[in-house]
Amino acid sequence: FQTGRFPLYTVPPGAWAVSFADTGRPNHGVKGPAEAAQVRDLALRTKDPYALWYGGGTADEAGFDPKPPVDLPQSILYRFIGWSVFNTSLVDGREGVTFALRSGPFWAGHQHEDLNSFVLNAYGEKLAIDSGYYDWYGSPHFTQYSVLTRAHNAILVDGKDQGSRKVGMDGAITSWFDSPGYGFTVGSITKPTMYESRLKSWDRCALFIKPGLVILHDVLSAAQDSAQYDWLLHTVAPIDIDAATQGFRLTSGQARLSGRFLTPQKVDLAVKAGYPVEPVDGYSTRPVPPDQYAHEWTLTATPQSKRGNEEFLVALQIQREGDTDSATFEAIPTQDGLAAQCKTPQQTTLV
């Protein structure tokens, strides 16, 4: 069943795909249902009613009824490839939110340097994307941008990428939990040769308080006494930043994402549009036609002081455009750790 249900979990109908590899032009350009004919064929072979529903199959051809996935677990961990995928709806992506984090082994050439990166889609829109194009394998855009860490919602160390597209350069999902109210996962990097041997370890903890809050906690330890860390977020819409609150906000179609850096206390925020190396029109040297060009924006958050050991605590709110119940985020002083308060008109959450 696992192969037939993979699209169900990673690209629900009406949702954009969770993409952590070479996916297309652009890499964030697949919308569900995807590969429906193949899923239908697998459903007929495995007699899986959920895959039959996703693939658009019928009882007449299958001999059993298609079944919508309302009684399946809505989230899943693919430990073999290191994908943590949390969904609030497998039935209709226009009504749901998907948060996914990737940290796993390197297996093949179409993978990216994307360990501990995340993707966020909501209400049929893209909010945090896997950036760039798979225009052609080995193109300038491919080798100098789209497969590198800098094209993902990850962190650069002293301006360096992970260099993880090699056998043995692995990350791992070290913790995973899901429930109707929240999901939690941890991605871990401990290979000392990553980032050109500039990083000893990086743990990214992600708490998804369904459906509208995500708390990210990054704990980094450099090989030297100081390092520059650049925290990245890529999207398909212009990003507004507020330096005074260390906050940002963007609207993508019918969905909105806002966030705030609770730690470090002094972070420089910058937004840049476009690509450092332009993609081309498939297997050619032609520019991408204007009507097919995916415009992108990148947020970079850089601590004002360099430290070997650093922590980012970032609170994100996912909303439908037009919702007025915006959250306020506040760091809570603690003796031996970090804590945050997320407050909406409906509830107050302490993390």
Side-chain angles (χ1 to χ4, degrees):
F1 293 151
Q2 183 165 281
T3 302
R5 293 183 186 180
F6 185 79
L8 174 64
Y9 277 100
T10 59
V11 52
W16 294 97
V18 172
S19 171
F20 288 120
D22 296 334
T23 305
R25 308 176 187 137
N27 284 323
H28 49 87
V30 175
K31 196 169 191 178
E35 309 297 340
Q38 290 88 338
V39 173
R40 171 187 161 277
D41 290 345
L42 285 167
L44 295 175
R45 295 185 183 191
T46 60
K47 301 189 183 305
D48 183 353
Y50 303 106
L52 186 68
W53 173 86
Y54 186 91
T58 65
D60 289 341
E61 62 184 330
F64 57 91
D65 291 331
K67 189 175 183 180
V70 293
D71 57 347
L72 283 180
Q74 301 296 285
S75 304
I76 196 166
L77 170 63
Y78 292 107
R79 191 176 296 278
F80 184 73
I81 56 174
W83 289 29
S84 290
V85 184
F86 299 99
N87 296 293
T88 64
S89 175
L90 295 179
V91 175
D92 188 350
R94 297 168 300 179
E95 299 298 324
V97 178
T98 297
F99 174 85
L101 185 143
R102 142 90 180 144
S103 195
F106 176 79
W107 294 113
H110 285 294
Q111 290 181 254
H112 293 178
E113 298 182 13
D114 58 1
L115 300 176
N116 285 2
S117 69
F118 70 93
V119 170
L120 179 59
N121 300 317
Y123 308 122
E125 309 288 359
K126 311 169 189 177
L127 291 175
I129 61 167
D130 203 56
S131 176
Y133 281 64
Y134 177 48
D135 46 9
W136 53 274
Y137 195 95
S139 76
H141 178 79
F142 177 93
T143 58
Q144 299 173 41
Y145 181 66
S146 69
V147 301
L148 302 181
T149 309
R150 64 191 63 241
H152 300 83
N153 302 309
I155 293 176
L156 302 180
V157 181
D158 289 334
K160 304 298 182 182
D161 301 284
Q162 291 171 358
S164 58
R165 295 180 72 244
K166 304 172 186 175
V167 174
M169 300 288 274
D170 302 339
I173 299 296
T174 57
S175 183
W176 190 85
F177 174 82
D178 186 55
S179 71
Y182 71 93
F184 177 77
T185 192
V186 179
S188 183
I189 296 175
T190 57
K191 295 290 182 181
T193 51
M194 287 192 191
Y195 291 103
E196 298 184 13
S197 301
R198 296 169 184 265
L199 186 74
K200 289 194 294 186
S201 65
W202 169 25
D203 286 339
R204 167 163 276 179
C205 306
L207 175 64
F208 178 23
I209 304 170
K210 302 173 184 178
L213 296 172
V214 174
I215 310 297
L216 295 172
H217 182 204
D218 296 299
V219 181
L220 301 111
S221 178
Q224 303 298 325
D225 292 337
S226 68
Q228 175 177 307
Y229 297 110
D230 296 316
W231 194 102
L232 304 176
L233 183 137
H234 300 271
T235 189
V236 294
I239 306 169
D240 296 323
I241 58 176
D242 184 341
T245 64
Q246 299 191 159
F248 65 91
R249 180 172 173 166
L250 65 98
T251 298
S252 174
Q254 299 302 307
R256 185 167 71 236
L257 177 67
S258 50
R260 184 182 173 197
F261 290 83
L262 301 177
T263 61
Q265 293 184 353
K266 294 183 178 180
V267 175
D268 289 329
L269 302 179
V271 175
K272 189 172 184 179
Y275 307 98
V277 180
E278 287 293 322
V280 294
D281 184 22
Y283 289 87
S284 73
T285 58
R286 300 185 303 271
V288 176
D291 62 334
Q292 300 175 27
Y293 189 87
H295 295 276
E296 295 185 8
W297 286 259
T298 301
L299 170 72
T300 303
T302 307
Q304 293 181 3
S305 300
K306 294 183 179 181
R307 299 195 302 172
N309 297 325
E310 187 61 271
E311 296 186 51
F312 290 86
L313 185 61
V314 186
L316 306 176
Q317 183 181 25
I318 307 116
Q319 296 174 278
R320 294 180 186 271
E321 174 58 14
D323 285 355
T324 58
D325 294 340
S326 297
T328 58
F329 306 118
E330 182 182 356
I332 304 297
T334 62
Q335 184 174 354
D336 298 313
L338 296 175
Q341 175 180 273
C342 305
K343 190 174 183 179
T344 68
Q346 291 75 33
Q347 66 180 30
T348 298
T349 304
L350 294 176
V351 179

